[in-house]
Amino acid sequence: MRILKRITAVTLVVSMALFALCSCGNDDPSIPDGMILVDSDFVSCKLYVPDDWIPQSYAGADTGTSMIGAKASDGSNVSLVPMTPSGSYASADDYFRTNYYTKIQSTFKNTVLLEDECSTEGQYFGVQEVGCVKYVYTVESDGVTYKIMQYFMMNAGYLYIFTYTAAEAVFSEHLEEVSSMVKNFEF
């Protein structure tokens, strides 16, 4: 009788452990496999990142700026910032070249716009395939060269800026993951 109780107890423990392992994972079919949702009460969109990245969000009550993003174990990161555009710009390309990039150049030394990797036509962002422009450049900070890829797009009256930043040495290691983030993004 004691042996039967032990066998039953062990079987129960093993069954519960197997059930717990099998039930883990993504129960929401709208979240792409291997990804998690990064969201915020202050940013009304859905950014999906690899499940081994660390989600981040920021809502600056004093600045009115909110952002969502995530960080990989090697320090590479993505962020998405929605903002109300200010000024009158003919296009996102005009905004980037006459306003945004000039600020980058004044902030970092040794900036290089990689024109051959930039694209102002035929770029689409997210599930809704919103038209966008893409820029890639490098900056130097504290002796390290970082490579930055950004998408700028307008949607529902907001300018969205999606940024992928990584040390130049590891930049290409996350491009497939970043591409998946861009493809699965939802406004």
Side-chain angles (χ1 to χ4, degrees):
M1 188 72 154
R2 279 175 110 178
I3 293 178
L4 185 57
K5 284 183 180 181
R6 286 184 183 177
I7 291 173
T8 303
V10 168
T11 303
L12 244 156
V13 168
V14 169
S15 296
M16 288 172 37
L18 287 174
F19 178 75
L21 287 173
C22 292
S23 65
C24 291
N26 182 3
D27 292 335
D28 187 344
S30 67
I31 297 177
D33 287 341
M35 300 185 103
I36 57 174
L37 173 64
V38 180
D39 61 353
S40 164
D41 292 339
F42 304 100
V43 179
S44 61
C45 55
K46 294 180 180 179
L47 174 64
Y48 300 102
V49 300
D51 56 13
D52 60 343
W53 286 47
I54 300 165
Q56 301 176 320
S57 65
Y58 170 80
D62 55 334
T63 63
T65 302
S66 299
M67 74 102 193
I68 54 176
K71 183 177 177 181
S73 60
D74 64 5
S76 301
N77 62 80
V78 296
S79 66
L80 182 99
V81 177
M83 57 189 280
T84 305
S86 61
S88 59
Y89 300 98
S91 65
D93 184 54
D94 183 36
Y95 170 75
F96 177 81
R97 292 178 189 276
T98 62
N99 184 315
Y100 193 90
Y101 191 63
T102 57
K103 290 177 184 172
I104 296 295
Q105 289 174 309
S106 68
T107 303
F108 298 98
K109 63 180 185 177
N110 300 329
T111 64
V112 178
L113 184 62
L114 305 171
E115 291 280 357
D116 58 326
E117 295 183 47
C118 299
S119 179
T120 59
E121 296 179 17
Q123 292 290 317
Y124 300 97
F125 200 89
V127 173
Q128 295 90 345
E129 296 187 343
V130 170
C132 64
V133 291
K134 178 179 90 171
Y135 304 96
V136 182
Y137 54 93
T138 59
V139 300
E140 186 180 318
S141 179
D142 296 328
V144 178
T145 300
Y146 293 93
K147 193 167 183 181
I148 300 169
M149 178 171 61
Q150 293 186 298
Y151 292 85
F152 291 73
M153 72 239 55
M154 293 292 296
N155 190 58
Y158 289 96
L159 171 65
Y160 289 83
I161 303 173
F162 176 85
T163 305
Y164 165 52
T165 305
E168 191 172 35
V170 298
F171 182 84
S172 62
E173 292 177 23
H174 297 291
L175 285 176
E176 190 174 315
E177 293 168 313
V178 172
S179 176
S180 184
M181 292 178 218
V182 167
K183 183 180 93 177
N184 289 295
F185 179 83
E186 295 179 44
F187 288 97

